[in-house]
Amino acid sequence: MTHFTEKTIQNYPGWDEFYAGEVDEKIDFFTKGHRLFDVIYSQQFDRRFLDYICRLSNAIRLLAKTKAGSRKLRRLLAHKRAMLYFVQPSTRTFLSFLNACHILGMKVSDIRDTSTSSEIKGESQEDSIRTFASYVDLIVIRHPEAGFSEKTAWVLNQSERPVPVINGGSGPDQHPTQALLDIYTLERSFEHIGRLDGKKIAMVGDLKRGRTVRSLSYLMKNYEDITLYFVSPKVFKMKEDIKSFLEKHKIQFYETDDFQSVMPLVDAVYMTRIQKEYADDAVEEADDYPDFFFKEAYLSIIQPHCVIMHPLPRRYEIEVAVDKDPRAVYWRQERNGMWMRAALIAYIFRVEKEILKELTAQ
Ligand code: NCD
């Protein structure tokens, strides 16, 4: 069907002012009864929450291993339904949310292609989302626009049917649930060497438009004595908003385009892809930046305990020969996303105590 109708643009009085406000002042709007209700940005997470959600992810991971445990998990939210509105491409985030819902017994529907929905008739995206809220109990959104999931949560929280909204990636801005699974992966990786506090992390690649490194950087304020190394081509340097946040919270960071010089210093290397889909002129932009690739030869330069992470998908940033090294944790990181997202959903629906109790009972 051809798209003949222009998209309807609706005016929501108050939204522009709200959106322009300071994040710290907006957080309460996404909280209910002192607990997270909507998950929009990673500044919403404090250390207590992060420790708790890691513990809960562990509990779900362990319970899901047994038939009896997974049956118990599936009963917890069998009365709830979720909607995955993923109008920007996704493999991992979509599948891990879908499977996280299934672990907890939820029913799931999805829209990934708006050409099959009423948006083709010109319905606004806000009205489409309000429609989902009529049918489901949770909405997860991946969208190319930075503020779309925030706007959805803002609109729904003022409606008669406020259902929780989770941001599954908001354009080049944030990816808070990825940051959670990254923290879980780091904490698990450093379990026997004092956990994440005191560690040095290199973030490598497109730091300007990569939402994963942006959301993860915000979380560093919750940990003691972290040092960040931002390693990127000059054109893709970390943006000022993140750097001033780190300065404000007295988190040490260095910027460099010399990847090899930081390799022996760090406890984790977080690789990222060049986000060409956000290029102003994609044709003009170079396809790859080999100085920011992790090659097999570098395995002898990094420390014996240094983990190599990547949110995936990868292109050429990590040679496949690196995959078999035990320090390459990106496939585990990917799977951690499913446990972490199940934990987050269980927390939002307040069934997490039952999970923790079940684990101790086993
Ligand atoms: C990332 C994303 O979508 O931001 N992928 C993911 O969610 N695991 C990273 C990327 O696309 O490069």
Side-chain angles (χ1 to χ4, degrees):
M1 185 172 164
T2 325
H3 199 159
F4 292 119
T5 320
E6 289 275 313
K7 203 178 359 169
T8 306
I9 308 290
Q10 292 166 320
N11 173 35
Y12 279 87
W15 163 246
D16 290 339
E17 293 77 359
F18 182 84
Y19 189 49
E22 291 290 325
V23 167
D24 288 352
E25 280 153 32
K26 296 194 274 187
I27 284 175
D28 278 354
F29 194 80
F30 302 114
T31 306
K32 282 211 173 121
H34 302 291
R35 288 168 66 107
L36 282 183
F37 183 73
D38 305 295
V39 176
I40 308 297
Y41 6 73
S42 56
Q43 296 94 311
Q44 286 176 273
F45 311 132
D46 59 19
R47 177 69 182 256
R48 214 170 128 205
F49 174 80
L50 292 166
D51 286 350
Y52 193 47
I53 207 81
C54 285
R55 199 174 134 218
L56 192 56
S57 305
N58 264 335
I60 293 178
R61 182 166 57 83
L62 296 173
L63 280 174
K65 280 191 178 155
T66 66
K67 206 168 173 181
S70 61
R71 199 180 292 135
K72 295 233 164 75
L73 288 169
R74 263 199 317 276
R75 282 203 203 110
L76 290 172
L77 293 177
H79 56 302
K80 298 284 184 193
R81 292 181 297 276
M83 172 81 207
L84 305 183
Y85 183 70
F86 272 56
V87 295
Q88 194 187 28
S90 172
T91 304
R92 270 150 290 274
T93 309
F94 180 82
L95 284 177
S96 61
F97 266 115
L98 180 72
N99 286 291
C101 289
H102 289 168
I103 287 171
L104 298 166
M106 293 177 88
K107 317 278 180 304
V108 189
S109 37
D110 67 80
I111 286 188
R112 305 196 68 180
D113 174 5
T114 53
S115 70
T116 61
S117 78
S118 278
E119 283 181 35
I120 206 88
K121 302 177 187 167
E123 184 172 43
S124 75
Q125 292 193 324
E126 292 82 353
D127 280 4
S128 296
I129 299 269
R130 255 200 105 138
T131 304
F132 308 153
S134 305
Y135 307 128
V136 301
D137 308 286
L138 168 72
I139 301 174
V140 187
I141 298 178
R142 169 168 287 205
H143 200 279
E145 268 169 50
F148 188 77
S149 45
E150 182 175 347
K151 185 173 184 183
T152 305
W154 181 84
V155 170
L156 292 182
N157 280 349
Q158 296 172 79
S159 75
E160 285 142 43
R161 237 191 97 71
V163 304
V165 172
I166 302 179
N167 175 3
S170 45
D173 188 33
Q174 282 234 19
H175 197 349
T177 61
Q178 177 74 40
L180 288 180
L181 75 93
D182 292 341
I183 287 289
Y184 180 48
T185 306
L186 287 162
E187 288 275 47
R188 273 187 79 190
S189 304
F190 302 143
E191 208 172 347
H192 303 296
I193 50 167
R195 298 183 44 194
L196 179 50
D197 294 313
K199 300 295 185 290
K200 299 183 170 66
I201 304 170
M203 297 185 180
V204 187
D206 187 345
L207 307 181
K208 183 177 166 199
R209 304 173 299 190
R211 53 192 173 195
T212 64
V213 279
R214 289 173 54 76
S215 286
L216 186 57
S217 297
Y218 281 125
L219 288 190
M220 292 304 149
K221 84 158 200 303
N222 296 294
Y223 296 87
E224 304 290 325
D225 193 23
I226 297 286
T227 310
L228 297 178
Y229 293 87
F230 292 139
V231 184
S232 73
K234 290 213 165 53
V235 283
F236 299 131
K237 280 170 77 171
M238 186 54 95
K239 284 200 202 155
E240 286 307 318
D241 57 344
I242 299 287
K243 289 192 272 186
S244 55
F245 177 89
L246 296 173
E247 274 157 14
K248 188 172 144 202
H249 293 279
K250 303 201 168 34
I251 298 159
Q252 278 212 71
F253 67 90
Y254 300 96
E255 292 186 279
T256 178
D257 56 6
D258 183 358
F259 187 15
Q260 290 200 39
S261 72
V262 305
M263 280 180 200
L265 309 177
V266 294
D267 305 288
V269 177
Y270 191 104
M271 300 297 296
T272 69
R273 175 180 68 85
I274 301 296
Q275 309 278 308
K276 215 172 167 177
E277 65 269 39
Y278 297 114
D280 294 330
D281 188 347
V283 183
E284 281 298 302
E285 200 168 290
D287 235 340
D288 55 23
Y289 290 80
D291 292 346
F292 302 89
F293 290 176
F294 193 96
K295 305 192 176 81
E296 189 184 12
Y298 300 155
L299 289 169
S300 58
I301 305 181
I302 59 171
Q303 301 192 63
H305 69 271
C306 174
V307 290
I308 307 155
M309 295 172 65
H310 194 308
L312 303 174
R314 76 172 149 190
R315 297 205 62 210
Y316 303 104
E317 308 83 62
I318 305 180
E319 280 184 357
V320 285
V322 174
D323 293 10
K324 57 183 186 304
D325 191 283
R327 293 167 295 178
V329 297
Y330 28 92
W331 299 111
R332 185 187 308 154
Q333 179 186 356
E334 176 177 83
R335 196 166 155 78
N336 281 343
M338 177 174 70
W339 308 127
M340 171 55 81
R341 287 172 173 129
L344 183 65
I345 295 168
Y347 178 86
I348 289 174
F349 288 107
R350 302 176 180 226
V351 292
E352 85 280 3
K353 293 231 165 57
E354 285 167 66
I355 296 173
L356 296 170
K357 203 163 65 196
E358 188 56 44
L359 192 70
T360 27
Q362 276 208 335

